[in-house]
């Protein structure tokens, strides 16, 4: 069964460093998402992406964040200068097509900022 | 924008007892509603969803939920709790354009032997 994959599973970085979180959505899916979950808190929407552009973003997704689909398979989230409060689990999701209801989530990348 | 409220951050039941996890939503357009389960240090697994049609939806592991528009609710139930049901449960809402999904704060379910 096709699934969303994410790498790495755990990333440790120093405050102020740039990190790139990688996701491989399900093949042929057209819509892509990033969410984050700070430890012990709820899952929060960050950004949605379709047709090589951002469809919607939350107030969390400020200028420190960017997303990219550099090739036909990867979908990345970049944090330019990490802060301690960026420590969280980051989930990628993909959705097949317009009108499809389900977003399929990856296993997450745990980001720890020291 | 849509939102979800989950009543009760912690629910504890005995094994074999009824499980009821509450979720109320707010949406200006017809909602798509979801329940996800998260086991410790794992990702989100879809339990069930409501989009259109039958308001009582059945999911995996014996869970079901009923969409009640008049009450703006989508409560999750299971007739008989099992130890393996202990996890965090999230209710979520989106709409047809599905540009974002909003999650509730989660309910941690504990099952006592």
């Amino acid at each position: 069964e096709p699934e969303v994959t994410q790498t790495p599973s755990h990333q440790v970085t120093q405050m102020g460093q740039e990190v790139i979180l990688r996701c491989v959505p399900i093949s042929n899916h057209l819509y892509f998402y990033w969410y984050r979950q700070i430890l012990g808190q709820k899952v929060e929407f960050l950004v949605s992406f379709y047709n090589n552009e951002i469809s919607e973003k939350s107030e969390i997704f400020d200028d420190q964040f960017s997303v990219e689909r550099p090739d036909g398979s990867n979908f990345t989230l970049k944090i330019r200068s990490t802060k301690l409060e960026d420590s969280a689990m980051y989930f990628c999701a993909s959705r097949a097509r317009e009108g499809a209801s389900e977003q399929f989530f990856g296993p997450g990348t745990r980001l720890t900022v020291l | 924008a849509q939102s979800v409220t989950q009543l009760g951050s912690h629910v504890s039941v005995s094994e074999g007892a009824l499980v009821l996890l509450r979720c109320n939503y707010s949406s200006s357009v017809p909602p798509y509603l979801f329940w996800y389960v998260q086991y410790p240090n794992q990702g989100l697994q879809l339990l069930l969803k409501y989009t259109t049609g039958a308001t009582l939806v059945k999911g995996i592991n014996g869970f079901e939920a009923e969409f009640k528009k008049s009450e703006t609710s989508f409560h999750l139930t299971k007739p008989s709790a099992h130890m393996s049901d202990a996890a965090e449960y999230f209710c979520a809402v989106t709409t047809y354009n599905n540009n974002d999904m909003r999650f509730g704060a989660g309910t941690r379910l504990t099952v006592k032997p």
Side-chain angles (χ1 to χ4, degrees), chain A residues 5-21:
Chain A
T5 59
Q6 292 184 240
T7 54
S9 57
H10 192 186
Q11 173 97 41
V12 181
T13 190
Q14 295 290 326
M15 189 170 56
Q17 295 297 303
E18 174 184 287
V19 294
I20 297 176
L21 309 182

Side-chain angles (χ1 to χ4, degrees), chain B residues 53-80:
Chain B
T55 56
L56 181 64
V57 292
K58 296 184 186 298
I60 62 172
N61 302 339
F63 284 94
E64 62 182 38
E66 186 170 11
F67 170 65
K68 292 187 176 181
K69 184 178 178 181
S70 61
E71 298 177 10
T72 61
S73 68
F74 191 59
H75 301 331
L76 181 71
T77 60
K78 181 174 180 178
S80 177

Side-chain angles (χ1 to χ4, degrees), chain A residues 37 39-40 89 91 107-108 110, chain B residues 36-45 83-90 107-110:
Chain A
Q37 183 183 30
L39 185 64
M89 181 74 89
F91 292 105
R110 180 168 296 284
Chain B
Y36 287 89
V37 61
Q38 185 180 38
Y39 296 99
N41 300 312
Q42 294 190 25
L44 299 166
Q45 181 181 10
M83 297 296 291
S84 60
D85 295 327
E88 188 89 18
Y89 291 81
F90 292 96
T107 297
R108 182 170 299 277
L109 176 66
T110 302

Side-chain angles (χ1 to χ4, degrees), chain B residues 12-27:
Chain B
S12 181
V13 301
S14 297
E15 191 173 20
L18 171 71
V19 175
L20 171 61
L21 305 182
R22 300 178 186 275
C23 171
N24 288 90
Y25 70 90
S26 173
S27 178

